[in-house]
């Protein structure tokens, strides 16, 4: 999608610190990390947010499979981590290309702000 920053990262039109990619997803470091490990997991295909993923599309489960892969790769699968998805204005979404935050390396708080 034109003028979508994450589409541009997925197409390698603008740089990012890419940690993993496959045919459907990409993982890169968040520009403003909120934890020692803060990655963004995105589908390469543009969806504005989770509400736009058609029923039957397996991208969300694939993203979680990738997240677990990252947890194992970073050695945090036992100590724990957090996966976050912000959806829409009240959900705090600032980039309108579906993404999941993968956060690890510190004690997470609850409830979130
Ligand atoms: P949201 O607020 O939509 O849930 O998360 C968007 C995230 O994208 C934020 O944590 C922000 O720091 C990150 N972000 C925004 N623009 C860029 C960018 O150009 N490159 C990278 N690597 N991260 C970005
Ligand atoms: Zn996009």
């Amino acid at each position: 999608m034109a003028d979508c920053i994450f589409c541009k990262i997925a197409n390698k039109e603008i740089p990012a610190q890419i940690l993993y990619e496959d045919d459907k997803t990409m993982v890169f470091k968040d520009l403003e990390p909120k934890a020692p490990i803060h990655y963004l997991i995105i589908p390469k295909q543009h969806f504005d947010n989770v509400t736009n993923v058609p029923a039957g599309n397996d991208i969300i489960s694939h993203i979680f499979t990738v997240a677990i892969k990252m947890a194992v790769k970073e050695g945090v699968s036992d100590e724990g981590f957090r996966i976050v998805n912000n959806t829409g204005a009240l959900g705090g979404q600032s980039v309108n290309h579906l993404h999941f935050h993968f956060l690890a390396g510190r004690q997470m708080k609850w409830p979130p702000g």
Side-chain angles (χ1 to χ4, degrees), residues 75-96:
V76 298
S77 54
D78 287 340
E79 67 185 35
F81 53 89
R82 181 171 286 180
I83 297 168
V84 174
N85 170 251
N86 299 323
T87 301
L90 288 188
Q93 184 176 7
S94 63
V95 176
N96 290 325

Side-chain angles (χ1 to χ4, degrees), residues 4 7 46 97:
C4 170
C7 279
H46 182 95
H97 178 125

Side-chain angles (χ1 to χ4, degrees), residues 1 4-8 45-47 96-97:
M1 179 181 251
C4 170
I5 193 103
F6 286 179
C7 279
K8 286 181 180 160
Q45 183 181 355
H46 182 95
F47 301 101
N96 290 325
H97 178 125

Side-chain angles (χ1 to χ4, degrees), residues 19-86:
L19 299 147
Y20 171 88
E21 71 175 302
D22 57 33
D23 55 335
K24 288 191 277 192
T25 63
M26 184 179 272
V27 182
F28 52 91
K29 289 190 183 179
D30 196 290
L31 207 55
E32 294 176 34
K34 303 294 189 290
I37 295 171
H38 186 175
Y39 303 156
L40 297 171
I41 308 174
I42 66 163
K44 288 184 171 176
Q45 183 181 355
H46 182 95
F47 301 101
D48 279 359
N49 61 51
V50 276
T51 70
N52 304 114
V53 177
N57 187 312
D58 73 347
I59 190 64
I60 306 295
S61 63
H62 184 66
I63 283 172
F64 271 75
T65 301
V66 169
I68 306 310
K69 212 177 272 197
M70 297 311 296
V72 171
K73 195 171 163 189
E74 295 296 338
V76 298
S77 54
D78 287 340
E79 67 185 35
F81 53 89
R82 181 171 286 180
I83 297 168
V84 174
N85 170 251
N86 299 323

